[in-house]
Amino acid sequence: MAQINKPNEYFNTVLYTGNGSTQSVTGVNFQPDLVWIKKRSATSDHMWHDIARGVTNAIRSNTTGAENSQSNYLTAFDSDGFTVGSSNDVNTNGSTFASWNWLASNTTVSNTVGDINSTVSVNTTSGFSIVSFTGTGSTATVGHGLGATPKMIIVKNRSVVETWRPYHVALGGGQALALNDVNATDTDAAYWSNTNPTSSVFTVGTTPGTNGSGNSMIAYCFAEVKGFSKIGSYTGNGNADGTFIYTGFKPAWVLVKRTDSANAWHLFDNKRNTFNPNDKGLFPNTSDTENTGNQIDFLSNGIKFYSADGGYNGSGGSYIYMAFAAEPLVGDNPATAR
């Protein structure tokens, strides 16, 4: 995949303030296919909406709940953003919100690659696809359409109460995590059948978390693209002069999870804090309000921690991350602060 020179044409964070009625949120720079919304100023669920499931259908990464639909959640994907209705989850009057937006293809197509037929919305340039399929309960492959091997996949059973199941390349197909809780990794082949994805398919096992029999499933697949995304792992040093992660770009967004002990998922972006240190965190596994006091810098070529916080830089801690770019790095220059 070629380097992307304008990352905000494929991923963008947009902030807005609710009005309690209906409003169009603009400034995304494209028509999004996945919109993830979180109220910052009060407790509220993380709301996920995408083109494959239909705009009004929500799943919530901080809960195990099945998909539900309301006409006053998201109501439209627009050419430069999206429209929200009057629901307090997405548009409480006077509350501040963050939205994280990804571009796939603005349409869905059938994919017959793999054992299970799927419906996909794919952007091979940015390495992102949304995959909808019906589970079988038996080990099977599902086509993702990327033409490159995804390094992170997030799966949710839409039909029943069930845990969110992420795959990450640093853990492999024999390990399980949950996006909706703080638990460390669990060794269990039932989720991914101890099999890593390929450039055409990913493998799901026998558990309802990734392949519920007769259940509607959704998967978000991310392949790494130079200058746009970085998906990897690191070891914390437990020091105020913390670990540096080289990404090859100035980050716009990063998701971090400690995998060897119970710690929350941490999410940072460059719009809620426009200068270093980036101290404003949100937690995809909880409904908590935005918190401050974190110590993380977004640099021209990566991420630097300035805290021994166990959530992202505990001594000897094992961590996974996924990051998206604000700007690609031109050359391999020393890191500079924002």
Side-chain angles (χ1 to χ4, degrees):
M1 294 182 179
Q3 176 166 310
I4 290 175
N5 293 316
K6 294 182 178 180
N8 66 0
E9 294 181 352
Y10 300 91
F11 167 81
N12 208 356
T13 300
V14 172
L15 309 180
Y16 66 96
T17 300
N19 66 10
S21 178
T22 185
Q23 67 168 311
S24 295
V25 178
T26 60
V28 172
N29 295 330
F30 51 83
Q31 179 175 312
D33 295 297
L34 169 61
V35 179
W36 173 359
I37 295 173
K38 176 65 177 77
K39 187 189 298 183
R40 304 166 56 195
S41 51
T43 58
S44 184
D45 291 337
H46 289 257
M47 307 290 287
W48 294 49
H49 295 259
D50 68 67
I51 188 175
R53 294 181 297 111
V55 66
T56 61
N57 296 315
I59 48 179
R60 305 157 190 256
S61 64
N62 57 293
T63 79
T64 59
E67 176 183 276
N68 74 314
S69 179
Q70 294 288 340
S71 61
N72 61 349
Y73 288 163
L74 228 66
T75 61
F77 298 119
D78 304 323
S79 61
D80 186 34
F82 54 90
T83 300
V84 290
S86 59
S87 168
N88 284 336
D89 288 313
V90 296
N91 197 20
T92 308
N93 187 36
S95 291
T96 56
F97 291 84
S99 72
W100 304 289
N101 305 270
W102 284 264
L103 173 68
S105 63
N106 289 166
T107 190
T108 59
V109 297
S110 296
N111 187 317
T112 58
V113 177
D115 302 320
I116 300 175
N117 291 343
S118 59
T119 300
V120 300
S121 185
V122 182
N123 194 310
T124 56
T125 301
S126 64
F128 173 59
S129 70
I130 303 169
V131 182
S132 175
F133 63 98
T134 300
T136 64
S138 301
T139 299
T141 56
V142 183
H144 52 68
L146 289 172
T149 302
K151 289 191 171 184
M152 190 163 185
I153 303 170
I154 301 172
V155 174
K156 178 68 178 77
N157 189 318
R158 302 164 54 191
S159 301
V160 299
V161 173
E162 186 56 58
T163 297
W164 291 66
R165 291 299 178 186
Y167 163 89
H168 193 280
V169 63
L171 303 175
Q175 299 287 315
L177 272 177
L179 184 61
N180 54 272
D181 68 33
V182 301
N183 292 342
T185 52
D186 176 36
T187 300
D188 193 334
Y191 299 103
W192 311 104
S193 194
N194 207 26
T195 304
N196 294 328
T198 71
S199 60
S200 58
V201 298
F202 60 93
T203 300
V204 289
T206 57
T207 175
T210 56
N211 191 21
S213 180
N215 296 158
S216 297
M217 311 294 298
I218 194 74
Y220 307 102
C221 304
F222 302 90
E224 194 173 271
V225 176
K226 182 179 180 181
F228 176 70
S229 58
K230 190 72 173 176
I231 303 167
S233 60
Y234 66 94
T235 301
N237 67 11
N239 197 299
D241 184 13
T243 301
F244 170 73
I245 304 169
Y246 178 81
T247 60
F249 52 74
K250 178 187 288 187
W253 185 96
V254 62
L255 177 68
V256 174
K257 175 69 174 78
R258 184 166 184 170
T259 61
D260 62 338
S261 68
N263 276 276
W265 292 80
H266 285 69
L267 190 161
F268 304 95
D269 64 62
N270 66 343
K271 298 294 179 66
R272 290 179 295 123
N273 227 49
T274 58
F275 53 86
N276 289 322
N278 191 325
D279 70 337
K280 295 178 180 176
L282 284 166
F283 310 101
N285 57 279
T286 77
S287 62
D288 291 356
T289 58
E290 180 176 88
N291 88 322
T292 58
N294 301 284
Q295 295 292 322
I296 173 175
D297 279 5
F298 283 0
L299 307 174
S300 67
N301 60 356
I303 301 157
K304 173 74 172 178
F305 299 106
Y306 289 99
S307 169
D309 188 295
Y312 46 82
N313 191 37
S315 180
S318 298
Y319 297 86
I320 58 170
Y321 71 92
M322 178 166 67
F324 293 96
E327 298 174 12
L329 178 67
V330 179
D332 196 10
N333 300 316
T336 57
R338 286 184 289 165

